[in-house]
C-alpha cells in the first residue's frame, strides 16, 4: 500500500516493510522513515527496509531511520550517488550486503554499536 512518500508491504499482524518511494516521494532528496503507519484504520510498526528499496536513486541525499527499523535489506540504498547523511536508529540489528554499497559521497553512517549482523560491504566506503 502507498502512504505518503513510501510504498509498504505488510509483513506480519502489526508490522510492515518499506518497499520503495511511492510516486509521491520519487523525487525526494530526503527520506525520513516513520516508525508507524496507518492503513485502513490499522496501525503498523515499520520494522524493515526491503532489498533494493531505494537503490540507484540519484536524488536521495539524506536518510533517517527510526528505532523501530530492525533490518536494512541487501542493496537497499545501493548506488545512491548523492547520499551524504544517514542516521540509523539504535535498535537496528542487521545491515545486509551492500546496503549502502557504491554510495560514493557517503563517508560516515550514524549508527549504533548494537548492530549484530553486518553484511559484506554493507557500508561501502563509509564508516559507522
Amino acid at each position: 500500500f502507498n502512504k505518503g512518500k513510501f510504498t509498504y508491504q505488510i509483513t506480519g499482524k502489526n508490522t510492515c516493510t518499506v518497499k520503495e518511494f511511492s510516486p509521491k516521494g520519487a523525487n525526494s532528496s530526503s527520506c525520513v522513515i516513520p516508525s508507524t503507519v496507518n492503513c485502513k484504520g490499522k496501525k503498523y510498526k515499520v520494522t524493515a527496509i526491503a532489498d533494493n528499496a531505494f537503490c540507484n536513486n540519484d536524488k536521495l541525499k539524506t536518510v533517517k531511520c527510526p528505532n523501530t527499523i530492525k533490518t536494512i535489506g541487501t542493496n537497499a540504498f545501493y548506488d545512491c550517488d548523492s547520499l551524504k547523511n544517514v542516521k540509523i536508529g539504535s535498535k537496528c540489528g542487521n545491515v545486509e550486503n551492500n546496503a549502502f554499497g557504491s554510495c560514493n559521497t557517503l563517508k560516515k553512517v550514524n549508527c549504533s554499536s548494537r548492530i549484530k549482523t553486518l553484511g559484506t560491504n554493507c557500508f561501502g566506503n563509509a564508516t559507522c
Side-chain angles (χ1 to χ4, degrees):
F1 65 93
N2 289 336
K3 186 78 170 185
K5 288 184 177 184
F6 306 104
T7 299
Y8 300 91
Q9 178 178 8
I10 297 169
T11 55
K13 185 176 180 182
N14 297 312
T15 60
C16 67
T17 296
V18 176
K19 292 292 287 179
E20 62 189 355
F21 271 131
S22 69
K24 191 184 252 186
N27 292 318
S28 296
S29 63
S30 176
C31 174
V32 178
I33 297 170
S35 58
T36 61
V37 64
N38 291 316
C39 178
K40 297 181 182 178
K42 188 165 182 174
K43 188 175 186 177
Y44 295 92
K45 186 189 295 188
V46 182
T47 59
I49 300 171
D51 295 351
N52 305 306
F54 300 95
C55 77
N56 299 316
N57 186 318
D58 293 335
K59 295 176 179 154
L60 190 60
K61 294 180 181 179
T62 303
V63 173
K64 184 176 179 186
C65 301
N67 287 337
T68 57
I69 295 291
K70 295 178 182 175
T71 300
I72 298 175
T74 301
N75 297 326
F77 296 93
Y78 185 83
D79 203 23
C80 290
D81 288 335
S82 299
L83 190 58
K84 292 181 181 181
N85 299 306
V86 174
K87 181 174 182 184
I88 299 173
S90 63
K91 298 198 177 163
C92 184
N94 302 307
V95 181
E96 302 295 336
N97 297 340
N98 289 312
F100 296 93
S102 289
C103 296
N104 297 325
T105 58
L106 183 62
K107 302 298 179 209
K108 181 162 176 57
V109 176
N110 184 347
C111 60
S112 169
S113 60
R114 293 183 185 182
I115 297 174
K116 296 174 188 161
T117 305
L118 294 173
T120 305
N121 197 36
C122 65
F123 294 120
N125 293 326
T127 60
C128 179

